[in-house]
Amino acid sequence: MSRIRAVFDSLGQQGRKALIPFITAGDPDPQATVPLMHGLVAGGADIIELGVPFSDPMADGPTIQRASERALKWGMSLRTVLALAHQFRRDDPDTPLVLMGYANPIEAFGVDAFCSAALASGVDGVLVVDYPPEEAREFALRLRAVALDPIFLLAPTSVESRYRDVAKLGSGYIYYVSLKGVTGAGHLDIADVAARIPKIRAQVGIPVGVGFGIRDAATAQKIGAIADAVVIGSRIVEEIESSPRDQVVARVTGFVRGIRTALDEVEATAGGVP
Amino acid sequence: MQITDVPPYSLPDANGHFGPYGGTFVSETLIAALDELRAAYAWYRNDASFLAEFADELAHYVGRPSPVYHAKRWSETLGGAQIYLKREDLNHTGAHKINNVIGQALLAKRMGKPRVIAETGAGQHGVASATIAARYGMECVVYMGSEDIKRQAQNVYRMKLLGATVVPVESGSKTLKDALNEAMRDWVTNVGNTFYIIGTVAGPHPYPMMVRDFQSVIGKECIEQMPGRAGRQPDAVIACVGGGSNAMGIFFPYIEQRDVRLIGVEAAGDGIATGRHAASLTAGRPGVLHGNRTYLLQDENGQIIETHSVSAGLDYPGVGPEHAWLKDSGRAEYVTITDDEALAAFHTCCRCEGIIPALESSHALAYAAKLAPSMATQEILLVNLSGRGDKDMHTVAERSGLIF
């Protein structure tokens, strides 16, 4: 069983929801990444999404683009991201790790070479933002051939036939983009999310995480009551950006712990509600 | 035309692929917008009233057909092939860009989108978009890299005069590719009321096909005009290639005429060997950027690298996917011209023909001037003079040591 599936199974038995923080590998510098990842786990992360820096992150907002630019200044590449993943995995055999990035660095690396290197580095899933299902069939099959989970996005604008398209190719979980726009944008419509998640879950048959626009414990609680997982990216990158270098890990860990506590509270109170 | 054994050219396929190139490499958040656009374009490309309005605008607002002009003195000086120029520089707003913008803006109107956005590098596509938005009473926002804004102050002012909002882009290399990223972000956020007018034959399906279709008026006119002007079709058609819209526009109607060579000219900047150039087809590798698979200038890690050309309109690290296909299939050839060669052709064209060409088009002229002497005097080269050089006065003056 994949590490991702194992985590969702175990959380499901406890009636808890997954917390999935995102950081960009190499931000604010490559030395910070592995300590930050351990800090995320210490703060209560169930799965980590690790961003692969790219020069042209079209689907991201300014916050994550700045993180990419900081990382690229250090010469980060897909190869060094995999090395950091491997380093993390040596000390943490359990927390699933999902790489999130854009197609071109993977194609430049070579898809087959990437699949084996990702597996060898302890990666569990891969989300390629600019590989929608219609362009990702071959890639998803190759990932699954080495037991890596291809993670796909769905959006409020996705028509229901697309739920079936991602269900055919995806595994691990679905990342539901909760609002129109780029990462780090505006406010999300909880009622709209609440209306769509059950439909998506029914069609895809795997857990559904929600991200984009989740910036605080209160929103995380509300989303946690609806979805299987809460993804937080830009808000954590902002924490990294605004922290003095020697406090980055402590501040990020503290932030994640706050979200975790809030998320577990809602589960406890919502526990009796069918 | 000896095309009896050639199957009709019918690319892209239904999913926007030109062989391995093209496609829809975008985030899920953009898929619905692209589906909406594809459906609308699939309908209107065959709609008589849409096509009639497009043709009427091209005739009476742009001033088409643009002439085909025999550059007689220059041809004589070179002592070889006869050079004919397709005068897109005479269009309203001074370049071929307006053809496509009218097509997309008419589509936006029919789709009920009152707001248009555009990316621009040199500012020509931005000016064309601002022009049409003014003409149709639409709100227009143009994204432009802050580096380009510094280099093209006059076009920025022009867009503002026309009522557009110019948004400086400070991310990445602060040039065209970053402006494109930013425009995509705007679109994904405001897709309900906004139409994204892409300026070249790149981006996700249907843009490469749609922009080509709108620009192919250039080549269609040439096919009609050449027999009257030159007695027959040309031996070769030459056009500069940045993103590649003026080249696709003139190449496309000639693709099935196999005896006509198609030659795309990329910007070699300071020289291919220096690494400071913008020649994606010549020196790049296939990859994925801005919604399509195509040749890209990238480092060994797949990061997009900064490009260089004296002509801002060619300064782009990718190229339209149909050019990638035409290159691989051998139907078109792609060559390069350096900044210095382009500037030399610029000056010659000014003095020999009384035409001030755009620096982009000067690349195509430079290659024609290189090729012509090796050909017979009855042979014919048709060059797409894609724009006029008024916008380049500053750049040329600076390169000659003058400051206005």
Side-chain angles (χ1 to χ4, degrees):
Chain A
M1 187 193 297
S2 86
R3 264 190 287 254
I4 293 175
R5 173 124 184 246
V7 161
F8 278 107
D9 282 357
S10 137
L11 286 170
Q13 282 159 13
Q14 303 164 41
R16 297 169 71 226
K17 299 303 172 77
L19 174 56
I20 311 182
F22 167 97
I23 59 170
T24 297
D27 173 37
D29 56 62
Q31 290 72 35
T33 298
V34 173
L36 263 172
M37 292 167 79
H38 290 307
L40 295 174
V41 177
D46 299 297
I47 296 172
I48 293 174
E49 283 185 358
L50 187 61
V52 180
F54 181 49
S55 52
D56 293 80
M58 263 172 31
D60 286 297
T63 305
I64 290 179
Q65 172 149 25
R66 283 197 302 275
S68 243
E69 287 175 5
R70 282 193 294 272
L72 289 173
K73 282 212 177 93
W74 294 99
M76 285 297 296
S77 64
L78 181 52
R79 199 170 297 280
T80 48
V81 173
L82 290 169
L84 293 174
H86 190 247
Q87 215 179 313
F88 168 78
R89 184 56 79 217
R90 279 196 316 228
D91 296 321
D92 185 330
D94 303 317
T95 310
L97 185 55
V98 173
L99 294 187
M100 184 165 178
Y102 290 79
N104 203 53
I106 293 174
E107 296 202 357
F109 196 99
V111 168
D112 283 330
F114 167 73
C115 290
S116 16
L119 186 68
S121 307
V123 169
D124 300 283
V126 181
L127 196 172
V128 182
V129 179
D130 49 354
Y131 271 163
E134 51 266 63
E135 299 288 359
R137 197 186 139 70
E138 191 57 31
F139 180 69
L141 293 177
R142 292 205 218 174
L143 283 178
R144 293 183 76 158
V146 293
L148 291 173
D149 287 317
I151 315 283
F152 285 95
L153 297 169
L154 283 174
T157 50
S158 303
V159 294
E160 288 195 24
S161 66
R162 299 191 67 81
Y163 299 178
R164 293 188 287 278
D165 294 340
V166 301
K168 274 182 221 148
L169 295 177
S171 59
Y173 59 96
I174 293 296
Y175 185 147
Y176 180 73
V177 174
S178 51
L179 44 76
K180 288 179 193 165
V182 293
T183 51
H187 293 286
L188 53 77
D189 182 346
I190 304 274
D192 188 63
V193 176
R196 284 175 204 271
I197 297 300
K199 282 188 203 158
I200 294 174
R201 204 191 275 116
Q203 297 250 15
V204 297
I206 55 176
V208 181
V210 173
F212 279 40
I214 302 173
R215 305 186 51 81
D216 52 44
T219 318
Q221 275 184 336
K222 287 180 193 150
I223 294 295
I226 305 163
D228 303 300
V230 172
V231 186
I232 304 185
S234 295
R235 181 61 189 82
I236 290 176
V237 172
E238 281 170 18
E239 201 67 29
I240 292 173
E241 205 167 36
S242 65
S243 301
R245 177 63 182 83
D246 59 347
Q247 291 168 37
V248 164
V249 176
R251 295 252 305 253
V252 168
T253 305
F255 176 79
V256 171
R257 186 168 290 130
I259 302 285
R260 173 85 266 167
T261 307
L263 208 52
D264 286 347
E265 268 169 26
V266 79
E267 256 65 71
T269 53
V273 182
Chain B
M1 265 107 277
Q2 309 88 329
I3 54 164
T4 44
D5 58 335
V6 179
Y9 181 87
S10 59
L11 295 178
D13 68 15
N15 299 314
H17 293 120
F18 301 88
Y21 303 109
T24 309
F25 292 90
V26 296
S27 166
E28 180 69 22
T29 48
L30 269 176
I31 294 288
L34 289 168
D35 281 345
E36 183 191 6
L37 176 59
R38 280 174 207 149
Y41 183 58
W43 174 263
Y44 286 112
R45 72 187 302 205
N46 297 310
D47 176 68
S49 87
F50 176 82
L51 295 173
E53 189 177 355
F54 182 49
D56 194 71
E57 290 289 272
L58 291 181
H60 303 292
Y61 190 64
V62 178
R64 304 201 70 91
S66 65
V68 164
Y69 163 81
H70 185 191
K72 224 171 186 171
R73 276 194 69 212
W74 197 359
S75 305
E76 273 168 22
T77 317
L78 293 165
Q82 302 306 307
I83 297 176
Y84 285 79
L85 306 177
K86 177 62 172 167
R87 298 292 306 274
E88 292 297 300
D89 60 316
L90 295 177
N91 291 343
H92 179 43
T93 72
H96 72 289
K97 292 287 186 191
I98 191 91
N99 304 326
N100 162 53
V101 169
I102 288 178
Q104 292 197 45
L106 289 176
L107 198 54
K109 273 202 333 190
R110 280 166 172 74
M111 290 172 73
K113 313 271 182 182
R115 179 175 180 266
V116 295
I117 57 171
E119 83 295 337
T120 199
Q124 289 308 96
H125 175 58
V127 167
S129 300
T131 300
I132 294 305
R135 161 122 178 74
Y136 296 155
M138 295 167 139
E139 183 193 345
C140 179
V141 176
V142 179
Y143 289 91
M144 189 167 184
S146 58
E147 278 301 313
D148 289 334
I149 285 181
K150 275 186 238 157
R151 294 193 283 190
Q152 303 286 340
Q154 215 178 63
N155 268 343
V156 174
Y157 185 58
R158 203 168 280 160
M159 287 183 262
K160 288 180 180 166
L161 283 178
L162 291 160
T165 307
V166 180
V167 181
V169 177
E170 301 287 351
S171 56
S173 60
K174 306 179 171 69
T175 60
L176 176 58
K177 75 177 179 71
D178 310 285
L180 217 151
N181 293 336
E182 211 55 46
M184 285 272 185
R185 290 176 183 139
D186 179 315
W187 197 33
V188 80
T189 311
N190 302 301
V191 67
N193 72 341
T194 299
F195 189 104
Y196 179 16
I197 303 183
I198 292 187
T200 193
V201 286
H205 181 55
Y207 282 101
M209 170 181 81
M210 180 171 70
V211 176
R212 173 201 73 192
D213 292 349
F214 290 142
Q215 290 293 3
S216 66
V217 64
I218 304 172
K220 282 181 204 152
E221 287 175 3
C222 291
I223 285 184
E224 280 174 27
Q225 293 164 314
M226 284 305 285
R229 297 294 300 159
R232 61 181 179 88
Q233 297 301 333
D235 296 289
V237 176
I238 303 176
C240 65
V241 178
S245 68
N246 90 80
M248 271 326 303
I250 197 165
F251 286 179
F252 183 62
Y254 280 105
I255 286 179
E256 289 189 13
Q257 299 197 16
R258 295 300 169 113
D259 48 350
V260 178
R261 282 171 72 187
L262 304 177
I263 305 174
V265 185
E266 294 193 292
D270 291 344
I272 299 292
T274 66
R276 284 174 49 77
H277 60 79
S280 343
L281 289 163
T282 305
R285 284 178 290 122
V288 171
L289 180 70
H290 292 153
N292 59 143
R293 178 174 283 123
T294 187
Y295 280 82
L296 299 174
L297 292 170
Q298 51 180 312
D299 68 14
E300 71 277 13
N301 296 315
Q303 307 295 345
I304 307 308
I305 56 183
E306 288 181 31
T307 53
H308 168 80
S309 168
V310 68
S311 114
L314 302 182
D315 214 348
Y316 177 65
V319 64
E322 194 163 12
H323 286 294
W325 168 248
L326 290 175
K327 174 191 160 81
D328 282 12
S329 66
R331 178 62 191 94
E333 311 153 49
Y334 294 88
V335 298
T336 63
I337 283 293
T338 64
D339 284 355
D340 289 344
E341 291 171 317
L343 279 157
F346 171 92
H347 287 295
T348 311
C349 186
C350 289
R351 273 175 251 150
C352 230
E353 298 295 341
I355 295 172
I356 301 178
L359 285 174
E360 291 78 8
S361 324
S362 298
H363 286 72
L365 293 170
Y367 191 74
K370 233 182 192 179
L371 194 59
S374 67
M375 297 169 73
T377 52
Q378 70 275 18
E379 290 186 285
I380 298 170
L381 297 177
L382 173 62
V383 181
N384 196 6
L385 182 53
S386 54
R388 59 175 172 248
D390 306 40
K391 68 181 175 58
D392 296 314
M393 291 299 96
H394 243 93
T395 311
V396 176
E398 261 176 46
R399 298 276 296 212
S400 319
L402 291 171
I403 304 292
F404 287 136

